[in-house]
């Protein structure tokens, strides 16, 4: 007996009694809706069981009775003939209501409106050749409804439930229940599910154990502000929501669980972007007795396998490797899309003693002078350059944008040309020519702090490369980044960590940690996985020696007492016999975003936050009741007095 036959047998076993009961319940359920409309009488589902999803019904079921349920996507009334496009997560299905075949079902169909919830029972039949809809996978069949039940009514949706919907994102997030019915979001969440299961299978196959770590933990420095949770049982004390399970997974390695993973929820109180959320998911893993190469081999296999298995995406292997230094020199970014055929040039040394004061002063201040050569840039007008200048000033905090256009005869056309010596122009022309930037090229310059110079030119490289079509045709561009520094100078000039304070240095650089060594020369074991210019995640080997960890914390400015107060539990654990270990954390939402073809993390998360960190659907964050604050021992500052001018 087929699935449909079993469902039909169960449905018919209670058919007459349920039909009578539904009529009584429906009549009793009539009530007014907002706006003065009357709710239609509703039926129950009792006794009926869905036999197929809408998208699962196909020509293979022709002649079989089916029961299908879903939302009314569209309704077309032709008098004695009503067509309903019924929608559920699996797809669309046409349901036909004919007054000459079932007057009762047709009468109920007249009450249907957009997004009503309904169930229909009847045989599957082939559509007439002229009625076939080739845009729908099952557009050659339909269900001839003999019975129809209206399971719930609905207010008109705030926007069309369609593939493309030009709706303000604030409206979409406020009405997320409707937004999640749209096919792109449903597909994205299916991709998310498949990737989750694929990661679990792949890591389990490699001998990893899935172990959960606490959500309420101790605040530790990991690069962003913590979300703090007050403790009722310990007044005045706070938990921190984990920015990552970093220290916990290290403790698991020390405890002998040599291969760990989890799909971890992480929380970081930081400014929002299209690829960042306050709460997000990581595929978090850690391994013992490994070096960098073993971890990178696993990451390459894991990334390629999950993308292939879950999404049919075949990433080219082996993944190219690039050092951090080379990436910053050539692309200005540690997550470059190397398909873009534009590269940077560094002229810092050239201008160290230049007469052009604007560039020389940047070098004297410890900054950099770099150039983005754009070959064959005749389509970029002077107006375009002015708009680029305004963009980098307003969006990227740059002081401006110096430029040079190389004419057909090799002459330089630029407001800064008169400040440059013949030797400087010749050196720059020669360097630009090695990247194909001869006559007809546009040279864009930045001078200032190296981080800002790289950020500005990297952004221009990406934008102009896309605009000018200077992108290699391959669809996927995986990359492994290695050789990051361990320390850097912060904005205040003090030494700080590049990624986090638990990253292990390269073994040969450990002597530089001691007195007389130069911390800025120390290379770390950090590595990143990048795909199409998006950082999928990062990791490193960890400090398994307590003396190395203590020395790093001391360089970062932690005194002995503070070191023990904040990290004593980790330092004590390292001294109990810690194995060499290392790991990685995939930004899972970013992988889903790439595999689903979305442009924004909010389109691959069921209930995301806005750029201001708000949940518009639930109205969070919201004020807490005074009793709750009192119980936690918290007192909020009084609001500022009202300005009399506000009431004027």
């Amino acid at each position: 007996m087929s699935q449909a036959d079993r469902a039909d047998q169960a449905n018919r076993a209670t058919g007459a009694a349920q039909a009578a009961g539904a009529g009584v319940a429906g009549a009793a359920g009539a009530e007014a809706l907002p706006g003065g409309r009357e709710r239609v009488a509703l039926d129950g589902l009792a006794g009926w069981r869905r036999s197929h999803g809408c998208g699962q019904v196909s020509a293979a079921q022709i002649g079989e009775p089916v029961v299908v349920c879903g939302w009314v996507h569209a309704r077309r009334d032709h008098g004695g003939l009503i067509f309903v496009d019924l929608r559920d997560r699996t797809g669309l299905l046409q349901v036909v209501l004919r007054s000459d075949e079932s007057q009762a079902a047709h009468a109920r169909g007249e009450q249907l409106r957009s997004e009503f919830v309904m169930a229909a029972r009847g045989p599957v039949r082939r559509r007439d050749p002229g009625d076939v809809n080739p845009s729908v996978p099952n557009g050659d069949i339909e269900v001839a409804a003999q019975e129809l039940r209206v399971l719930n009514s609905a207010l008109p949706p705030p926007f069309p439930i369609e593939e493309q919907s030009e709706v303000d994102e604030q409206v979409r997030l406020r009405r997320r229940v409707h937004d999640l019915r749209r096919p792109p979001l449903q597909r994205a969440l299916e991709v998310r599910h498949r990737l989750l299961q694929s990661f679990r299978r792949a890591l389990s196959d490699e001998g990893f154990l899935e172990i959960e770590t606490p959500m309420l933990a101790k605040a530790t420095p990991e690069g962003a502000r913590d979300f703090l949770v007050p403790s009722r049982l310990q007044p005045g004390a706070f938990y921190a929501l984990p920015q990552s399970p970093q220290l916990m997974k290290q403790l698991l390695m020390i405890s002998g669980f040599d291969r760990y993973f989890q799909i971890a929820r992480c929380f970081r109180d930081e400014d929002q972007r299209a690829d960042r959320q306050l709460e997000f998911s990581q595929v978090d893993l850690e391994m013992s007795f490994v070096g960098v190469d073993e971890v990178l081999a696993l990451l390459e296999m894991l990334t390629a396998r999950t993308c292939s298995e879950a999404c049919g995406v075949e990433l080219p292997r082996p993944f190219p490797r690039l050092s951090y230094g080379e990436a910053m020199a050539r692309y200005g970014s540690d997550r470059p899309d190397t398909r873009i055929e534009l590269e940077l040039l560094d002229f810092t040394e050239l201008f160290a003693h230049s007469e052009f004061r604007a560039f020389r002063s940047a070098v004297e201040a410890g900054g950099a002078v770099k150039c983005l050569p754009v070959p064959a840039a005749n389509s970029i007008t002077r107006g375009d350059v002015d708009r680029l200048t305004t963009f980098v000033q307003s969006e990227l905090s740059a002081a401006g944008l110096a430029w040079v256009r190389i004419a057909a005869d090799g002459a330089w056309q630029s407001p800064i040309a008169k400040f440059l010596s013949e030797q400087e122009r010749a050196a720059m022309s020669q360097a630009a020519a090695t990247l194909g930037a001869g006559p007809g090229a546009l040279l864009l310059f930045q001078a200032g702090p190296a981080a800002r110079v790289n950020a500005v030119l990297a952004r221009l490289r990406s934008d102009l490369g896309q605009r000018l079509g200077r992108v290699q045709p391959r669809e996927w561009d995986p990359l492994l980044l290695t050789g990051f520094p361990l320390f850097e100078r912060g904005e205040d000039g003090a030494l700080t960590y590049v990624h986090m304070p638990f990253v292990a240095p390269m073994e040969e650089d450990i002597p530089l940690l001691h007195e007389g060594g130069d911390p800025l020369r120390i290379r770390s074991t950090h590595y990143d996985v990048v795909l199409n210019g998006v950082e999928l995640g990062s990791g490193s080997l960890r400090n398994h020696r307590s003396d190395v960890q203590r020395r790093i914390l001391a360089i970062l400015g932690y005194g002995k007492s503070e070191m023990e107060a904040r990290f004593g539990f980790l330092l004590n654990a390292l001294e109990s016999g810690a194995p060499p270990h290392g790991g990685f954390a995939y930004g899972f939402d970013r992988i889903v975003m790439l595999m689903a073809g979305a442009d924004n993390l909010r389109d691959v998360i069921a209930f995301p936050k806005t750029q201001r960190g708000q949940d518009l659907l639930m109205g969070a964050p919201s004020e807490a009741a005074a009793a709750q604050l009192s119980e936690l021992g918290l007192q909020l500052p009084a609001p500022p007095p009202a300005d009399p001018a506000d009431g004027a």
Side-chain angles (χ1 to χ4, degrees):
M1 182 180 293
S2 70
Q3 178 186 14
D5 290 336
R6 286 193 296 270
D8 189 63
Q9 187 180 65
N11 291 334
R12 294 186 184 279
T14 54
Q18 292 298 333
V24 173
E31 59 180 277
L33 286 172
R37 298 187 301 109
E38 185 176 287
R39 187 187 298 275
V40 301
L42 302 179
D43 304 309
L45 187 59
W48 281 26
R49 294 293 179 269
R50 181 169 63 171
S51 63
H52 298 77
C54 293
Q56 295 169 339
V57 181
S58 68
Q61 283 80 46
I62 288 176
E64 293 183 14
V66 298
V67 174
V68 290
C69 306
W71 287 262
V72 175
H73 187 70
R75 171 183 169 275
R76 301 177 297 281
D77 192 338
H78 298 279
L81 182 65
I82 297 175
F83 295 98
V84 175
D85 290 336
L86 190 64
R87 185 193 72 244
D88 68 4
R89 180 170 65 86
T90 64
L92 285 173
L93 175 67
Q94 180 168 286
V95 176
V96 181
L97 306 165
R98 295 178 180 271
S99 59
D100 58 351
E101 292 181 349
S102 175
Q103 192 168 7
H106 181 271
R108 290 297 271 155
E110 291 179 331
Q111 299 176 309
L112 295 173
R113 297 294 183 268
S114 178
E115 297 307 299
F116 274 31
V117 186
M118 59 163 277
R121 179 164 68 185
V124 179
R125 64 189 180 195
R126 192 177 299 279
R127 294 194 201 184
D128 293 336
D131 296 332
V132 170
N133 182 359
S135 65
V136 180
N138 56 9
D140 58 337
I141 54 98
E142 62 191 15
V143 171
Q146 297 172 340
E147 298 174 80
L148 185 146
R149 292 185 180 182
V150 181
L151 305 176
N152 215 337
S153 60
L155 293 171
F159 45 78
I161 311 300
E162 295 175 348
E163 186 79 21
Q164 300 295 330
S165 187
E166 297 297 326
V167 182
D168 182 79
E169 189 182 38
Q170 299 283 310
V171 176
R172 289 177 49 210
L173 294 177
R174 192 172 291 112
R175 303 300 295 272
R176 191 63 166 179
V177 171
H178 288 92
D179 197 28
L180 286 171
R181 294 178 186 174
R182 294 175 49 237
L185 272 73
Q186 296 214 335
R187 287 195 299 270
L189 292 183
E190 288 179 9
V191 168
R192 188 182 186 97
H193 164 77
R194 293 197 303 270
L195 279 166
L196 274 174
Q197 304 315 309
S198 183
F199 270 110
R200 281 194 162 99
R201 283 191 297 270
L203 286 164
S204 295
D205 289 347
E206 293 295 320
F208 285 77
L209 298 180
E210 185 169 6
I211 305 174
E212 295 176 335
T213 55
M215 300 294 282
L216 299 175
K218 184 181 179 69
T220 58
E222 293 193 37
R225 287 180 293 273
D226 289 305
F227 281 102
L228 298 178
V229 180
S231 170
R232 178 182 61 82
L233 299 176
Q234 306 291 329
F238 294 82
Y239 301 102
L241 297 180
Q243 294 188 34
S244 76
Q246 178 59 49
L247 296 184
M248 290 298 174
K249 65 183 181 181
Q250 287 190 248
L251 295 177
L252 287 171
M253 295 301 103
I254 298 170
S255 301
F257 296 93
D258 62 344
R259 291 199 163 199
Y260 137 95
F261 86 97
Q262 72 171 315
I263 311 300
R265 294 294 287 169
C266 303
F267 306 85
R268 296 182 183 178
D269 186 5
E270 56 189 354
D271 295 336
Q272 301 299 279
R273 299 190 308 230
D275 64 345
R276 184 179 288 174
Q277 281 277 295
L278 297 178
E279 52 183 318
F280 57 95
S281 296
Q282 282 185 180
V283 178
D284 200 57
L285 61 95
E286 197 80 3
M287 312 160 65
S288 293
F289 306 111
V290 293
V292 169
D293 286 339
E294 289 93 335
V295 180
L296 292 181
L298 175 84
L299 297 180
E300 180 175 320
M301 179 281 296
L302 193 59
T303 308
R305 171 175 166 173
T306 53
C307 291
S308 174
E309 186 175 276
C311 306
V313 170
E314 301 299 330
L315 299 179
R317 298 178 67 183
F319 292 0
R321 296 191 184 190
L322 192 65
S323 72
Y324 169 82
E326 185 179 1
M328 297 304 295
R330 294 173 60 187
Y331 308 115
S333 170
D334 60 1
R335 52 182 184 277
D337 186 337
T338 62
R339 297 173 300 176
I340 297 173
E341 297 176 313
L342 295 174
E343 294 189 17
L344 309 186
L345 293 171
D346 192 333
F347 294 132
T348 303
E349 291 188 10
L350 179 66
F351 286 99
H353 305 288
S354 173
E355 294 300 317
F356 185 26
R357 183 166 180 78
F359 283 6
R360 188 185 74 234
S361 61
V363 179
E364 291 172 344
V369 178
K370 298 185 76 170
C371 167
L372 173 65
V374 184
N378 292 325
S379 62
I380 301 177
T381 66
R382 175 60 188 270
D384 291 333
V385 173
D386 291 341
R387 284 186 284 274
L388 289 175
T389 302
T390 300
F391 170 75
V392 300
Q393 289 173 325
S394 61
E395 299 296 325
L396 304 177
S397 302
L401 184 66
W403 59 273
V404 168
R405 191 180 295 279
I406 303 178
D409 60 359
W412 278 33
Q413 301 170 353
S414 168
I416 69 170
K418 60 186 178 182
F419 301 109
L420 302 173
S421 69
E422 289 292 337
Q423 293 81 1
E424 288 167 345
R425 278 184 280 176
M428 287 188 284
S429 292
Q430 184 177 0
T434 64
L435 298 178
L442 179 68
L443 311 182
L444 301 174
F445 293 87
Q446 277 290 292
R452 189 175 66 206
V453 166
N454 282 321
V456 170
L457 293 181
R459 177 64 182 271
L460 292 178
R461 172 182 176 270
S462 177
D463 291 354
L464 291 175
Q466 297 287 346
R467 171 182 163 180
L468 299 175
R470 296 189 61 85
V471 182
Q472 295 174 9
R474 65 182 188 275
E475 185 176 5
W476 300 104
D477 184 47
L479 189 64
L480 297 174
L481 267 290
T482 61
F484 290 80
L486 189 64
F487 298 104
E488 64 183 357
R489 295 282 181 191
E491 293 183 0
D492 59 357
L495 283 173
T496 186
Y497 50 84
V498 172
H499 291 97
M500 62 176 181
F502 314 112
V503 175
M506 300 285 285
E507 286 191 23
E508 54 268 37
D509 289 353
I510 288 178
L512 294 173
L513 288 170
H514 302 297
E515 295 294 338
D518 182 359
L520 291 174
R521 290 175 50 206
I522 300 174
R523 297 164 299 165
S524 78
T525 55
H526 185 93
Y527 35 77
D528 284 353
V529 176
V530 177
L531 183 61
N532 290 9
V534 175
E535 181 188 315
L536 295 188
S538 61
S540 72
L541 303 186
R542 324 301 186 185
N543 292 306
H544 69 285
R545 289 171 43 181
S546 65
D547 62 325
V548 172
Q549 185 63 77
R550 288 177 186 275
R551 183 58 192 152
I552 289 173
L553 293 174
I555 289 174
L556 293 172
Y558 290 94
K560 289 184 178 180
S561 58
E562 184 182 10
M563 204 181 294
E564 293 299 328
R566 299 194 66 176
F567 307 106
F569 67 96
L570 174 64
L571 297 172
N572 291 336
L574 293 176
E575 290 169 352
S576 69
H581 58 281
F584 190 80
Y586 285 95
F588 182 67
D589 308 297
R590 293 182 180 180
I591 299 179
V592 178
M593 182 177 72
L594 286 173
M595 292 297 107
D599 298 322
N600 193 313
L601 281 189
R602 292 187 286 274
D603 284 338
V604 300
I605 297 172
F607 301 105
K609 305 293 190 291
T610 67
Q611 287 193 331
R612 296 187 62 192
Q614 295 173 300
D615 181 336
L616 298 182
L617 176 67
M618 299 189 69
S622 58
E623 294 182 356
Q628 290 177 298
L629 295 175
S630 177
E631 190 175 33
L632 294 169
L634 299 178
Q635 184 175 0
L636 298 180
D643 187 341
D646 291 342

